[in-house]
Amino acid sequence: MDIDTLLVHEGIGEILFGMFKEDILNNFDSRYLEELDDGGDVDIHYPELGLSFTFWQEFKGRLGSITSKRENTTLSGVKLIGRNKNDVRKFINSKLKSGISEENGCEHEDGDIQEWIDANDNSLSFWFLNDRLYQICWSCEWADNEQPKWKNTQV
């Protein structure tokens, strides 16, 4: 199963936004951790795989966002994890239709600098620690009425 091809607004490989938790769990043999956040959303983390899935309670528990820390994750055929912020910024501006919508960051007590770049029209967030991309987060596309536009035709 392909778990490295990031598909903007769609998912990763064969895992598509709009799927249910059971559909995802049946695809993996790895151990996972399950968390319930304050809003009632369910986060499933696969530490060994470097993947996390968030199921949105507001939308009947469907898969709404994915986070990848996998070094082999590709976006438009390019591996980005581990690259510096300037390289990722250039990639966003040249390959993504919306470009950068926001950049922000903070310094932690231990001196580490965490920064992020958002490409909101593509529902993508790029997270950096000490100038190196360590994770990419993305979600489904949104309709004007603030409803998810699921690409999964079985939804």
Side-chain angles (χ1 to χ4, degrees):
M1 168 183 279
D2 176 8
I3 56 172
D4 290 318
T5 305
L6 186 160
L7 304 168
V8 174
H9 294 142
E10 293 184 30
I12 190 164
E14 295 86 31
I15 298 172
L16 302 175
F17 294 122
M19 294 175 85
F20 290 102
K21 181 174 70 171
E22 294 74 27
D23 299 327
I24 306 297
L25 296 178
N26 291 334
N27 282 297
F28 299 109
D29 291 334
S30 299
R31 282 188 284 152
Y32 65 90
L33 305 169
E34 186 169 334
E35 297 178 329
L36 186 64
D37 73 12
D38 293 339
D41 295 337
V42 175
D43 295 319
I44 302 289
H45 305 287
Y46 287 94
E48 294 171 7
L49 298 176
L51 289 171
S52 294
F53 303 97
T54 301
F55 299 88
W56 296 339
Q57 287 311 109
E58 181 180 356
F59 300 103
K60 300 178 183 171
R62 295 184 187 279
L63 177 62
S65 65
I66 300 172
T67 299
S68 179
K69 296 181 178 183
R70 296 178 57 78
E71 291 180 7
N72 290 329
T73 298
T74 61
L75 175 57
S76 299
V78 177
K79 293 180 184 179
L80 295 170
I81 300 289
R83 291 197 180 190
N84 68 44
K85 192 167 86 169
N86 284 333
D87 285 350
V88 174
R89 188 184 289 119
K90 287 176 190 173
F91 172 85
I92 294 168
N93 287 326
S94 68
K95 299 284 186 185
L96 301 179
K97 67 179 179 180
S98 67
I100 296 171
S101 57
E102 181 181 357
E103 291 189 51
N104 215 327
C106 63
E107 185 171 348
H108 295 280
E109 289 179 10
D110 62 6
D112 284 340
I113 298 173
Q114 185 174 28
E115 300 171 282
W116 58 94
I117 297 174
D118 288 337
N120 282 342
D121 286 351
N122 292 292
S123 303
L124 287 159
S125 294
F126 301 86
W127 289 80
F128 301 84
L129 188 60
N130 300 324
D131 196 47
R132 295 286 169 201
L133 182 66
Y134 73 94
Q135 72 179 18
I136 303 171
C137 308
W138 68 106
S139 66
C140 62
E141 187 175 12
W142 291 88
D144 291 338
N145 63 356
E146 297 187 19
Q147 293 295 310
K149 292 170 70 174
W150 309 117
K151 299 290 184 183
N152 182 353
T153 57
Q154 297 174 347
V155 175

